[in-house]
């Protein structure tokens, strides 16, 4: 269990420091916090913020930040709270209800304070855990603060009961049975002890208080620190369920210690820098993410604002990016954590360090002038002759009033990182193409302030030279962080070059003979782009300076191919082109008239046959006259007719199978009747011949 | 006593089964709600420093489970079933996960169709970089490098080294970033990555400006930076083929309350925005990642001959047919009709024979009609719908197409009438001739 926790703490430290290093300038609580408060604490329709505890936290935050908590808005809250007070409830709810009543200034005529006091007194007596004691004592104190007469019956005993839970390392246990101790509990215990002292009057033995003061010193030995002097408390080796996080723990201890300092007759010997470190911790969080954290932050800052140990004064810079061009002044504000102004004091700039911790020698200690109207200390930068760059400024704040010096914690030296930015002059920008023997050179001047593009051409035996000079406002040569020349071929293959610096000048010489392979033997137009940029350069440049037409030799077979340029991944989206099927064209047919004409022609022979028959004078004298042969003859010809009709039907609608079936029957029938008819005809003709 | 023990054990195991959380599945059409997300952090303080982002997820009904990335009880699945639907990996510096989790397990999780949000910062560990590389985003290999931009940085009084970037170069997609345009620039401080050109699934959601470069701000630049200009991606999104969605951000602070609440002014511009675009960006992007937008489903695929309603088992060439499909989009709460004008259906055999854009009734129904090509074989109705940000729809339905039957051809062709007439006149002549021949005297 211990291992992951330690790891976790380590990670927390890393993360935390990363968070802080960027914003080493801390700012006092401002309007951003006020608007954040109204976002975090949104009252429900009845004016409450959820539970009594949440309501208390919201209203307390509003009170500290001076936000509107007029009783009209929260009249409903007053009513529910006073109902809560008159009904039996837990000491925790009682405590919060009393606090809310005090904050809102609700009318208290209807509240039975005596009953509440006696209930709380019993609770103090019966309490077994630290939280129970904390809430009941806090409740009693609130009642007392409302002007009621409350005396704790057994102050010494109660004090002893709380003290009994303390551990040798300055931390506290939550109750007698628990084995683990916690720094969060220590804060609660100290606040409870402070309540005991103020409720008891002067009954408490001073030696006991001295013991607690020793405990506090031990507790502060546990404080953790970041490199920039920020201090905080964190829990170690506690049950993950009870783990509160650095903010809650620090907040609890801050409230406890300041409350105890307020009732202790002697000054607590903690040291102003620790109080300042804690204040820095709370302020460095900025705006926390949850309402609870927000309350912790504001409440503990409020207890630091007017504490009896020492009042932290924070030095903040409205701006750490200062422009030399705009003649920005170095402005410094020294305020309390809530931004109210500090007593008369002097701010001096001790040293100016470059990033590699070298002192800027030309600078001597300077005291900042004070502008009483805006309550700002300021310093003109231009007479100091400090060049552009990133500097660490080391300030010292000293309170003018020698008596007040003890009262306030200002910190020893305050280090602030600042950027002085300026306009960098670009000079002597030239681009030239020369033969390898440098015999002939065609130099073209570049004017980077104008939108002019140059066009050059070169082959692989030539060289390209690009040079420019950068100077700071004070005339020193300037080395920007970003100084890149980019060659972009038509096929989007890019090559980057970093010019070299030599004697105040930046110079890039490209010998194309050595670069053909790198350029993948790609001839054609190359766009040249120049990027000059730096954090302190106000006129960072990114612009195309023209193009060069390169004539490179043909690529040998084994040369590396240029890398594939990524295809636009968006191209696979979007509708595709529609496809419609092309159908086979139907066969060409003759016009219908022609077909019909030919049909007429094919019928003509039949007509001619019929006419021929008529002309011959057809007769049917051979038709049998007797009944039976005549019937057979009719049936025979009817059969032939039926077969022919079957053919017509076959054409019109029948299929082959039906037709063949029918034809089968008809065929047998025709065979029979045909045989009878034909044999009769044969016999009659034989008779005639013989006759 | 001894007899009772087994039953007690059984009871205990039953209770533990009941108490264990229900298994979670990837986004499915049947149960798109009740989604459990595991948030891995390397510091629980992140929970409060990034609370606005987390609260927005909770307020939309997600169950977040916060765990330290080195928690020894970490596990994404139990008994072969995944315990979570999504993973938020806000632990840039973790070098080894606790428990059974490792890089391949995270990959397996995504391969199973689950979603991932990964944010790193300049302390990114090899493990986290490896996970990003698996998704097609290669972070700058220099561990000290951060993205610097001397032209489009965020103007701030406290931040002078131009690593706080104000970028407004967003992917143009309403489905990923919501219908409302993000007006304010987005604050970014962290490391840049390039998207793998071989990976067509990963897209740059937030791109750096042409003047940006990735380098260590504290040391002099001796060689050209490996990543420059618009090839630097600040935030990338990836939608895998199984519709798992991944968001990769080079900045963890992008999600932080501080950036979400911060005002922003881009260098060189006079406009000061009261609030950065971060809140809108992270909220909308998270909606997309967790499938509250752009998740399509297709139901009721129907096809029939024109004039009929039943679905035939086979079509004949040259039939006229109707095809229809209903497409719905998940809105986070319900399935809403999907409205677009570019849904296409293909009639496909080896290659599309017909590709037609379907018309819609604006209520989710897409339909079209066309003539079956005069080629027979086994065809497919195919809807392959791939749009930026939407899950891809791939529907295929097989249907055979047959040629004409022998009796389905045309029977009375006028051009053949002379032949018919010739046959029938011969037949008529034969009938008359047979009578005349037999009985004429």
């Amino acid at each position: 269990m211990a291992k992951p926790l330690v790891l976790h703490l380590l990670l927390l430290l890393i993360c935390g420091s990363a968070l802080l290093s960027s914003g080493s300038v801390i700012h006092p609580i401002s309007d951003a916090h006020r608007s954040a408060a109204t976002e975090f604490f949104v009252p429900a329709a009845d004016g409450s913020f959820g539970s009594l505890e949440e309501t208390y936290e919201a209203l307390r935050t509003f009170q500290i930040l001076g936000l509107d908590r007029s009783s009209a808005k929260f009249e409903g809250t007053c009513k529910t709270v006073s109902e809560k007070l008159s009904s039996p409830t837990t000491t925790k709810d009682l405590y919060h209800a009393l606090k809310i009543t005090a904050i809102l200034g609700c009318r208290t005529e209807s509240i039975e304070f005596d009953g509440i006091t006696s209930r709380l007194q019993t609770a103090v007596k019966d309490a077994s855990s630290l939280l129970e004691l904390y809430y009941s004592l806090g409740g009693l104190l609130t009642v007392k603060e409302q002007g009621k007469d409350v005396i704790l019956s057994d102050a010494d005993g109660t004090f002893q009961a709380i003290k009994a839970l303390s551990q040798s390392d300055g931390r506290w246990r939550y109750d007698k049975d628990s084995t683990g101790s916690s720094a969060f509990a220590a804060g609660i215990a100290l606040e409870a002890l402070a309540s005991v002292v103020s409720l008891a009057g002067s009954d408490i033995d001073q030696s006991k208080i001295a013991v607690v003061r020793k405990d506090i010193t031990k507790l502060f030995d546990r404080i953790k620190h970041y490199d920039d002097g920020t201090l905080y408390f964190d829990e170690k080796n506690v049950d993950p369920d009870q783990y509160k996080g650095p903010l809650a723990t620090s907040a609890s201890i801050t409230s406890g210690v300041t409350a105890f300092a307020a009732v202790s007759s002697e000054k607590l010997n903690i040291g102003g820098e620790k109080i300042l470190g804690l204040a820095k911790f709370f302020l460095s969080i900025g705006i926390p993410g949850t309402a609870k954290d927000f309350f912790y932050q504001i409440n503990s800052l409020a207890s630091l604002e007017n504490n009896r140990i020492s009042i932290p004064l924070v030095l903040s810079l409205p701006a750490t990016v200062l422009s030399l061009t705009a003649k920005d002044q170095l402005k410094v504000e020294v305020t309390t954590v809530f931004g109210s102004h500090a007593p008369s004091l002097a701010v001096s700039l001790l040293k100016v360090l470059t990033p590699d911790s070298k002192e800027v020698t030309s600078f001597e200690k300077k005291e900042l002038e004070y502008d009483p109207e805006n309550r700002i200390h300021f310093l003109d930068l231009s007479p100091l002759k400090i060049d552009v760059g990133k500097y660490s400024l080391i300030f010292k704040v000293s309170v003018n009033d020698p008596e007040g010096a003890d009262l306030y914690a200002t910190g020893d030296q305050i280090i602030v990182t600042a950027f002085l930015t300026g306009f960098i002059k670009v000079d002597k920008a030239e681009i030239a193409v020369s033969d390898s023997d440098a015999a002939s050179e065609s130099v073209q001047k570049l004017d980077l302030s104008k939108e002019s593009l140059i066009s050059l051409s070169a082959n692989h035996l030539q060289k390209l030279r690009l040079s420019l000079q950068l100077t700071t406002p004070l005339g020193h040569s300037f080395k920007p962080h970003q100084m890149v020349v980019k060659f972009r071929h038509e096929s989007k293959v890019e090559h980057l070059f970093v010019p070299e610096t030599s004697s105040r000048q930046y110079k890039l010489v490209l010998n194309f003979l050595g670069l053909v392979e790198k350029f993948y033997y790609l001839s054609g137009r190359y766009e040249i782009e120049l990027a000059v940029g730096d954090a302190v350069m106000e006129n960072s440049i990114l612009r195309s300076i023209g193009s060069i037409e390169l004539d490179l030799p043909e690529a040998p077979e084994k040369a590396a191919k240029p890398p594939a340029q990524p295809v636009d991944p968006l191209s696979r989206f979007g509708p595709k082109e529609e496809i419609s099927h092309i159908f086979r064209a139907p066969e060409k047919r003759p016009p219908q008239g022609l077909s019909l004409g030919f049909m007429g022609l094919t019928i003509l022979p039949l007509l001619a046959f019929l006419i021929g028959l008529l002309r011959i004078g057809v007769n049917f004298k051979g038709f049998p006259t007797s009944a039976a042969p005549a019937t057979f003859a009719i049936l025979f010809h009817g059969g032939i007719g039926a077969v022919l009709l079957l053919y017509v039907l076959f054409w019109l609608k029948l299929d082959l199978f039906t037709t063949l079936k029918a034809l089968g029957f008809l065929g047998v029938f025709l065979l029979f009747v045909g045989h009878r008819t034909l044999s009769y005809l044969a016999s009659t003709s034989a008779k005639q011949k013989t006759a | 006593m001894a007899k009772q023990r087994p039953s007690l054990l059984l009871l205990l195991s039953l209770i533990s089964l009941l108490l264990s959380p229900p298994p979670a599945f990837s986004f499915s059409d049947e149960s798109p709600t009740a989604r459990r997300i595991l948030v891995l952090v390397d510091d629980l303080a992140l929970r409060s420093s990034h609370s606005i982002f987390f609260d927005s997820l909770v307020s939309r009904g997600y169950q977040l489970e916060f765990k330290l990335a080195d928690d020894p009880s970490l596990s994404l699945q139990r008994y072969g079933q995944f315990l979570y639907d999504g993973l938020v990996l806000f632990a840039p510096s973790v070098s080894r996960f606790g428990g059974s989790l490792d890089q391949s397990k995270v990959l397996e999780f995504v391969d199973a169709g689950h979603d991932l949000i990964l944010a790193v910062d300049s302390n990114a560990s090899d493990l986290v970089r490896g996970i990003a590389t698996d998704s097609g985003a290669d972070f700058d290999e220099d561990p000290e490098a951060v993205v610097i931009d001397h032209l489009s940085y965020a103007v701030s009084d406290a931040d002078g080294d131009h690593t706080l970037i104000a970028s407004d170069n967003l992917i143009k997609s309403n489905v990923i970033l919501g219908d409302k345009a993000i007006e304010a620039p987005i604050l970014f401080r962290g490391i840049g990555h390039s998207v793998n050109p071989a990976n067509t699934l990963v897209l740059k959601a937030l791109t750096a400006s042409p003047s940006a470069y990735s380098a260590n701000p504290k040391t002099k630049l001796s060689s050209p930076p490996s990543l420059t200009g618009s090839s630097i991606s600040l935030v990338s999104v990836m939608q895998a083929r199984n519709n798992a969605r991944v968001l990769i951000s080079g900045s963890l602070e992008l999600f932080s309350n501080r950036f979400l609440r911060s005002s922003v002014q881009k260098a060189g511009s006079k406009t000061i925005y009261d609030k950065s675009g971060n809140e809108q960006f992270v909220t909308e992007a998270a909606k997309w990642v967790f499938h509250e937008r752009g998740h399509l489903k297709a139901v009721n695929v129907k096809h029939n001959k024109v004039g009929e309603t039943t679905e035939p088992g086979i079509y004949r060439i040259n039939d006229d047919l109707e095809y229809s499909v209903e497409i719905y989009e998940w809105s986070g709460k319900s399935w809403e009709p999907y409205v677009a004008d570019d849904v296409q259906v293909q009639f496909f055999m080896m290659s599309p024979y017909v590709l037609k854009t379907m018309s819609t009734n604006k209520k989710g129904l897409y339909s079209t009609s066309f003539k079956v090509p005069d080629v027979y074989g086994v065809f497919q109705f195919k809807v392959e719908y791939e749009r930026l940000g939407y899950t891809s729809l791939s529907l295929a339905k097989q249907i055979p197409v047959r040629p004409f039957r022998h009796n389905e051809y045309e029977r009375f062709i006028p051009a053949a009438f002379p032949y018919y007439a010739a046959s029938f006149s011969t037949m008529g002549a034969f009938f008359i001739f047979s009578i005349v021949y037999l009985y004429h005297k």
Side-chain angles (χ1 to χ4, degrees), chain A residues 367-617:
Chain A
E367 191 169 312
L368 273 66
E369 288 173 61
Y370 185 60
D371 172 8
E373 203 168 302
N374 299 316
R375 300 204 181 90
I376 274 178
H377 300 264
F378 65 93
L379 185 65
D380 271 328
L381 285 173
S382 40
L384 298 178
K385 293 285 172 217
I386 300 178
D387 213 340
V388 295
K390 181 184 175 186
Y391 297 102
S392 300
L393 310 178
I394 302 177
F395 291 99
K396 169 127 187 90
V397 178
S398 45
V399 180
N400 287 338
D401 180 13
E403 280 174 24
D406 268 2
L407 227 62
Y408 294 99
T410 56
D412 193 19
Q413 288 188 341
I414 300 145
I415 307 175
V416 174
T417 308
F419 292 84
L420 299 187
T421 66
F423 193 86
I424 305 295
K425 219 160 78 180
V426 185
D427 276 327
K428 295 185 187 160
E430 295 181 339
I431 190 161
V433 173
S434 61
D435 290 332
S436 53
D437 54 357
S440 60
E441 199 179 46
S442 59
V443 180
Q444 290 201 40
K445 288 248 180 288
L446 283 175
D447 190 351
L448 293 177
S449 57
K450 282 184 201 149
E451 286 289 321
S452 60
L453 293 178
I454 51 140
S455 59
L456 300 165
S457 65
N459 62 30
H460 66 285
L461 296 173
Q462 289 178 310
K463 280 181 185 170
L464 178 103
R465 185 175 62 84
L466 175 80
S467 60
L468 65 142
Q469 198 174 331
L470 300 170
T471 40
T472 63
L474 291 186
H476 301 293
S477 81
F478 179 71
K479 288 179 182 151
H481 189 252
Q482 183 189 26
M483 177 71 163
V484 177
V485 180
K486 190 186 266 182
F487 279 71
R488 189 190 294 118
H489 188 250
E490 293 151 320
S491 62
K492 290 193 176 151
V493 181
E494 288 181 352
H495 305 283
L496 297 177
F497 299 96
V498 177
E500 281 166 22
T501 165
S502 64
S503 67
R504 300 177 64 99
Q505 218 179 26
Y506 271 95
K507 202 168 175 185
L508 176 72
V509 178
L510 296 181
N511 188 350
F512 290 119
L513 192 58
L515 287 170
V516 281
E517 206 147 310
K518 192 183 174 187
F519 276 50
Y520 304 108
Y521 298 91
L522 283 174
S523 298
R525 225 167 87 99
Y526 283 82
E527 296 277 344
I528 308 173
E529 204 175 73
L530 176 69
V532 183
D534 196 276
V536 297
M537 183 169 168
E538 282 170 12
N539 54 327
S540 294
I541 301 165
L542 170 80
R543 55 162 296 188
S544 170
I545 54 176
S547 62
I548 183 165
E549 192 79 36
L550 271 185
D551 183 17
L552 299 180
E554 284 285 304
E557 264 177 35
K558 279 178 188 163
K561 290 263 179 311
Q565 291 303 309
V567 283
D568 183 10
L570 304 180
S571 59
R572 71 193 172 95
F573 302 114
K576 296 184 188 114
E577 213 174 311
E578 289 204 357
I579 300 171
S580 50
H581 183 72
I582 300 166
F583 286 85
R584 254 194 310 258
E587 278 171 50
K588 253 192 156 178
R589 286 178 183 170
Q592 204 164 355
L594 194 70
S595 303
L596 291 176
F598 271 97
M599 186 175 79
L601 284 181
T602 50
I603 294 169
L604 281 183
L606 178 65
L607 290 179
F609 173 63
L610 290 178
I611 292 163
L613 284 184
L614 289 178
R615 292 282 296 273
I616 293 165

Side-chain angles (χ1 to χ4, degrees), chain B residues 118-337:
Chain B
L118 173 73
V120 305
D121 59 17
S122 46
N123 302 320
S125 66
D126 287 343
L127 170 68
V128 181
R129 283 165 189 265
I131 295 171
T133 308
D134 288 336
S135 309
D138 302 322
F139 281 107
D140 194 341
E141 281 170 15
D142 181 356
E144 300 290 318
V146 294
V147 182
I148 308 172
D149 198 328
H150 295 304
L151 283 175
S152 46
Y153 56 93
V155 175
S156 107
D157 287 330
D159 221 17
D161 54 3
H162 299 176
T163 55
L164 180 63
I165 288 162
S167 175
D168 46 13
N169 210 343
L170 292 160
I171 190 169
K172 285 177 186 59
S173 166
N174 284 1
V175 61
I176 298 177
L177 297 178
D179 292 326
K180 208 170 140 237
I182 300 177
E183 311 223 321
I186 288 153
L187 289 173
F188 178 95
R189 175 158 44 210
I191 56 177
H193 61 268
S194 60
V195 298
N196 188 342
N199 187 337
T200 54
L201 301 172
V202 64
L203 300 164
K204 288 189 254 190
L206 183 67
T207 313
S209 82
S211 56
Y213 63 108
S214 172
N216 182 353
K218 294 198 180 75
T219 58
K220 211 179 144 280
L221 205 62
S222 52
S223 58
S226 54
L227 291 175
T228 56
S230 322
S231 68
I232 301 179
S233 175
L234 306 176
V235 179
S236 293
V237 292
M238 196 270 285
Q239 179 170 272
R241 291 195 177 85
N242 60 0
N243 292 335
R245 288 171 175 177
V246 177
L247 181 137
I248 295 156
S249 162
S251 167
L252 181 54
E253 277 186 280
L254 182 90
F255 296 85
S256 69
N257 294 355
R258 190 187 285 218
F259 278 17
L260 261 55
R261 288 274 173 264
S262 168
S263 66
V264 57
Q265 181 190 5
K266 203 172 165 177
S269 143
K270 291 261 185 301
T271 339
I272 300 176
Y273 296 91
D274 284 341
K275 222 172 110 190
S276 67
N278 289 42
E279 179 164 14
Q280 203 185 343
F281 178 74
V282 297
T283 312
E284 298 298 330
K287 278 186 191 170
W288 179 78
V289 170
F290 293 125
H291 292 266
E292 281 176 54
R293 247 198 329 256
H295 193 106
L296 303 179
K297 74 164 180 182
V299 290
N300 287 341
V301 180
K302 273 191 233 160
H303 59 87
N304 52 263
K305 276 195 212 170
V306 172
E308 294 178 13
T309 49
T310 50
E311 189 172 297
I314 189 166
Y315 283 104
R316 197 195 64 196
I317 57 170
N318 293 356
D319 271 353
D320 286 305
L321 64 81
E322 282 169 341
Y323 178 88
S324 70
V325 60
E326 284 172 43
I327 302 179
Y328 295 94
E329 183 186 359
W330 179 248
S331 71
K333 294 181 196 77
S334 58
W335 290 102
E336 302 291 336

Side-chain angles (χ1 to χ4, degrees), chain A residues 7-8 11-12 14-15 19 22 39 284-285 288-290 293 318-321 419 481-482 484 486 496-498 533-535 540-542 566 569-570 572-584 589-590 592 595-596 598-599 602-603 606 609-610 613 617-624 633 636-637 640-641 644 647-648 650-654 677-678 681 688, chain B residues 42-45 48 51 68 70 93 123 148 150-151 156-162 189 197 200-203 210-211 213 215-217 219 221-225 228 257-258 261 318 342 344 346 352-357 371-375 386-388 410-415 417-418 420-422 424-425 427-436 438-441:
Chain A
L7 247 169
H8 161 213
L11 286 170
L12 191 118
I14 295 165
C15 270
L19 207 95
S22 59
E39 271 177 50
S284 67
I285 288 166
T290 62
D293 285 348
T320 56
V321 181
F419 292 84
H481 189 252
Q482 183 189 26
V484 177
K486 190 186 266 182
L496 297 177
F497 299 96
V498 177
D534 196 276
S540 294
I541 301 165
L542 170 80
L570 304 180
R572 71 193 172 95
F573 302 114
K576 296 184 188 114
E577 213 174 311
E578 289 204 357
I579 300 171
S580 50
H581 183 72
I582 300 166
F583 286 85
R584 254 194 310 258
R589 286 178 183 170
Q592 204 164 355
S595 303
L596 291 176
F598 271 97
M599 186 175 79
T602 50
I603 294 169
L606 178 65
F609 173 63
L610 290 178
L613 284 184
V618 184
N619 60 42
F620 297 105
K621 284 176 183 155
F623 198 77
F636 175 56
H637 290 284
I640 291 174
L644 296 178
Y647 288 163
V648 176
F650 175 56
W651 177 58
L652 284 176
K653 58 192 230 184
L654 293 181
T677 310
L678 291 179
L681 284 177
Q688 271 174 356
Chain B
D42 46 18
D43 174 5
L44 285 175
S48 61
S51 61
L68 286 173
D70 51 6
S93 55
N123 302 320
I148 308 172
H150 295 304
L151 283 175
S156 107
D157 287 330
D159 221 17
D161 54 3
H162 299 176
R189 175 158 44 210
T200 54
L201 301 172
V202 64
L203 300 164
S211 56
Y213 63 108
N216 182 353
T219 58
L221 205 62
S222 52
S223 58
T228 56
N257 294 355
R258 190 187 285 218
R261 288 274 173 264
N318 293 356
D342 56 358
Q344 294 176 321
Q346 300 177 22
Y353 278 71
V354 173
L355 195 157
K356 214 170 169 198
T357 305
K371 201 186 236 330
V372 179
D374 54 359
V375 179
E386 276 190 31
R387 292 296 174 270
L388 176 60
E410 197 180 358
R411 198 147 188 166
F412 306 103
I413 305 170
F417 280 0
Y420 295 131
F424 289 125
S425 72
M427 280 152 64
F430 168 73
F431 183 70
I432 294 160
F433 176 75
S434 65
I435 296 168
V436 171
L438 287 181
Y439 307 115
H440 180 71
K441 248 179 192 169

Side-chain angles (χ1 to χ4, degrees), chain A residues 4-16 18-19 243, chain B residues 39-47 49-50 54 66-71 74 88-98 118-125 127-128 252:
Chain A
L5 246 172
V6 170
L7 247 169
H8 161 213
L9 285 173
L10 255 172
L11 286 170
L12 191 118
L13 264 173
I14 295 165
C15 270
L19 207 95
Y243 177 74
Chain B
V39 183
L40 288 185
V41 293
D42 46 18
D43 174 5
L44 285 175
L46 215 72
R47 201 174 164 165
S49 65
H50 291 54
F54 294 132
F66 287 88
K67 278 195 176 157
L68 286 173
D70 51 6
D71 188 329
L74 275 189
V88 175
L89 203 50
F90 277 1
S93 55
V94 64
S95 54
R96 240 187 68 203
F97 290 122
L118 173 73
V120 305
D121 59 17
S122 46
N123 302 320
S125 66
L127 170 68
V128 181
L252 181 54

